Amino acid sequence: MIKFLLALILFLPTTCITGSYVYVLFVPIGLFFYKNELMNAISDFYENPFRKEYLLSFWIIVLLLIGIGVNSLIGSNFIHLIKRGTLLLIPLTILSAYFISDQKVYRFLLIFIVVEVCVGILEYVIGVNTFFSSLPKHHVFNNYVSLYKTRVFGLSANSTYLAQKCLIGILLLYFVDLNLKTRHVIGLFLFLMTGVILTFGRTVVVSVLVCFGFYFLTYLYNHFRDLKHLKININKSLLISSILFSMVILSTFSFWSNQFNRMGLRPHENKNTQGAKVLEASGIGKVEMAGRRELWGKAIDFIFENPVYGNHSQRFLVNNKHVHNSFLEYLSTHGLILLIVILAFIIFNLNGFNIAFCGGIMLYSLGQFGIFWDISFLDIIFMSILLFSARVTNSN
């Protein structure tokens, strides 16, 4: 029952029903049910607080929090930082990640995601993007020509959140061994891929395709060389299903290409700024990216002007909009030094068990504001697999 409750608390804030404040419930529930585990962990820490694993995780986070506090003090933003709760929310994220690091929790989470995909399928059939007519972006479909204009919300506030959950479901399916039966794996695969198509978030689509390719190569490498450097869900039925799905996509490539390019929609022209030049040099200066080029360009301009301190740890926004790139947003908010600290924390904790899963989330976060919210659904899951993947793989 407690595993179901933990999964529900993790899932609910991703819907339009509740907000992120629900994550506070992890504290009393976790302290009540995991008291002995936490006491043992604290005892181990006090016995040897500078053990390598603590230096690469706990102490880097402490350094990061101190750095954020100092950075905000330099910019006279400390009161704003306290009001936002960053110094408390990041530790809460890690604590929550510890509690949810369990196979059963993730199995329940997959069930919740599939239920929401089913709601999305029903919305698509009826011809509305959401059953919650009070949402600002609620509308009725005029036609079904463009997948972008018929993206469904499921139970979420927008299609991006549902697409994000489908991505997490796929990453769990491919790169975390949850001891699922083959028929369950295939069923989950079909529902999750349906969710990806009906939400048609291009960042998620690209991330899924890259994960497909990585899974194929790793599967073949592990099969023929019998090496287990990278841990994936070795399931022949999942491999065959993925290959068949990929063949269908390739056989209808022109249709998907047209959908991906928004039916030939031309991008806006960027002003000749430093950020625009960087994007031009990267090869995406002429790509239609739903306003991301403009947001990224202005963020890069700001970074060139404020490379060390960023926005003194006050969230950087462009016309009150997020930058839609977690790393650009982090760099423009906190500056280069703190970005190096958080990247070091991530890199030092990557291993063969979590690199594929965490890599998928980081890839997604290059095109969306995915991680680094201080606390969010994606932050908690990312930290869970990054820091506590052994708990997930060993839980029963």
Side-chain angles (χ1 to χ4, degrees):
M1 184 62 185
I2 183 60
K3 313 293 186 183
F4 175 86
L5 185 58
L6 289 172
L8 186 62
I9 293 173
L10 177 64
F11 176 79
L12 278 178
T14 68
T15 70
C16 61
I17 300 171
T18 64
S20 296
Y21 58 85
V22 172
Y23 291 136
V24 176
L25 293 176
F26 277 125
V27 176
I29 292 175
L31 292 177
F32 184 80
F33 288 98
Y34 292 87
K35 180 180 178 180
N36 291 336
E37 283 190 45
L38 290 175
M39 293 303 295
N40 289 335
I42 293 171
S43 176
D44 288 342
F45 174 79
Y46 273 111
E47 286 181 7
N48 190 357
F50 298 104
R51 202 163 61 198
K52 181 181 177 181
E53 63 184 82
Y54 296 139
L55 289 173
L56 299 182
S57 54
F58 175 81
W59 288 113
I60 294 182
I61 289 296
V62 170
L63 177 64
L64 178 70
L65 294 176
I66 293 172
I68 290 173
V70 171
N71 194 29
S72 66
L73 280 172
I74 294 172
S76 302
N77 289 329
F78 191 71
I79 299 300
H80 176 78
L81 184 74
I82 295 298
K83 289 180 178 179
R84 286 195 67 242
T86 298
L87 300 181
L88 293 176
L89 292 178
I90 293 175
L92 177 59
T93 293
I94 296 174
L95 188 65
S96 303
Y98 178 83
F99 295 144
I100 67 153
S101 299
D102 188 279
Q103 285 185 1
K104 289 183 179 179
V105 173
Y106 282 122
R107 288 194 207 116
F108 282 125
L109 179 62
L110 284 171
I111 293 172
F112 295 152
I113 295 172
V114 166
V115 169
E116 186 169 0
V117 169
C118 291
V119 173
I121 293 172
L122 190 57
E123 290 169 341
Y124 186 81
V125 171
I126 291 175
V128 294
N129 62 343
T130 176
F131 289 135
F132 297 93
S133 57
S134 59
L135 292 177
K137 295 184 178 181
H138 172 270
H139 74 267
V140 179
F141 302 154
N142 295 321
N143 57 64
Y144 287 86
V145 175
S146 170
L147 285 172
Y148 182 79
K149 294 181 179 179
T150 58
R151 295 178 299 168
V152 296
F153 294 8
L155 300 173
S156 304
N158 56 53
S159 61
T160 300
Y161 289 140
L162 178 53
Q164 182 185 103
K165 282 175 274 190
C166 291
L167 173 63
I168 290 300
I170 289 170
L171 291 175
L172 287 173
L173 202 62
Y174 279 86
F175 302 121
V176 180
D177 186 5
L178 299 179
N179 288 326
L180 296 168
K181 295 180 180 179
T182 296
R183 67 176 185 273
H184 295 155
V185 169
I186 302 306
L188 287 168
F189 171 81
L190 294 174
F191 275 110
L192 292 170
M193 290 311 303
T194 300
V196 169
I197 293 171
L198 293 186
T199 53
F200 208 70
R202 291 183 297 178
T203 307
V204 168
V205 171
V206 170
S207 301
V208 168
L209 292 177
V210 171
C211 289
F212 270 19
F214 185 83
Y215 181 79
F216 295 155
L217 294 176
T218 306
Y219 191 103
L220 294 175
Y221 182 76
N222 285 346
H223 178 74
F224 289 109
R225 298 294 298 273
D226 196 27
L227 296 173
K228 306 297 182 184
H229 299 309
L230 295 172
K231 303 298 180 182
I232 63 174
N233 183 8
I234 301 294
N235 187 301
K236 187 178 293 186
S237 297
L238 181 61
L239 176 69
I240 294 172
S241 299
S242 303
I243 292 173
L244 291 175
F245 183 85
S246 300
M247 291 174 63
V248 171
I249 296 297
L250 289 173
S251 65
T252 56
F253 182 77
S254 59
F255 169 80
W256 297 108
S257 176
N258 194 33
Q259 294 287 341
F260 198 83
N261 291 313
R262 299 272 191 86
M263 318 295 286
L265 185 64
R266 294 178 63 83
H268 299 293
E269 291 297 325
N270 255 357
K271 295 180 180 179
N272 190 27
T273 63
Q274 189 71 35
K277 291 177 182 178
V278 171
L279 294 175
E280 192 74 34
S282 68
I284 60 175
K286 301 297 182 183
V287 180
E288 197 290 308
M289 300 178 68
R292 283 175 177 77
R293 290 188 310 118
E294 293 79 6
L295 294 172
W296 292 359
K298 291 181 179 179
I300 293 171
D301 289 337
F302 182 83
I303 291 165
F304 273 109
E305 295 170 1
N306 308 273
V308 178
Y309 301 108
N311 201 31
H312 292 288
S313 296
Q314 182 172 337
R315 182 78 69 195
F316 175 78
L317 302 173
V318 178
N319 298 326
N320 209 32
K321 293 181 180 178
H322 294 294
V323 178
H324 282 72
N325 180 311
S326 291
F327 300 96
L328 278 180
E329 179 128 1
Y330 202 91
L331 179 55
S332 57
T333 297
H334 298 291
L336 182 60
I337 295 174
L338 293 179
L339 176 68
I340 292 173
V341 173
I342 191 65
L343 290 180
F345 167 76
I346 293 172
I347 291 169
F348 289 151
N349 287 284
L350 289 175
N351 54 54
F353 284 95
N354 62 25
I355 189 169
F357 186 96
C358 293
I361 293 180
M362 288 190 286
L363 176 64
Y364 169 79
S365 297
L366 288 172
Q368 284 284 2
F369 189 12
I371 51 178
F372 306 147
W373 281 89
D374 294 340
I375 191 168
S376 70
F377 171 75
L378 213 59
D379 281 312
I380 293 173
I381 290 183
F382 181 76
M383 289 296 181
S384 170
I385 301 297
L386 181 69
L387 297 176
F388 310 115
S389 56
R391 278 175 54 84
V392 178
T393 53
N394 294 330
S395 61
N396 198 303

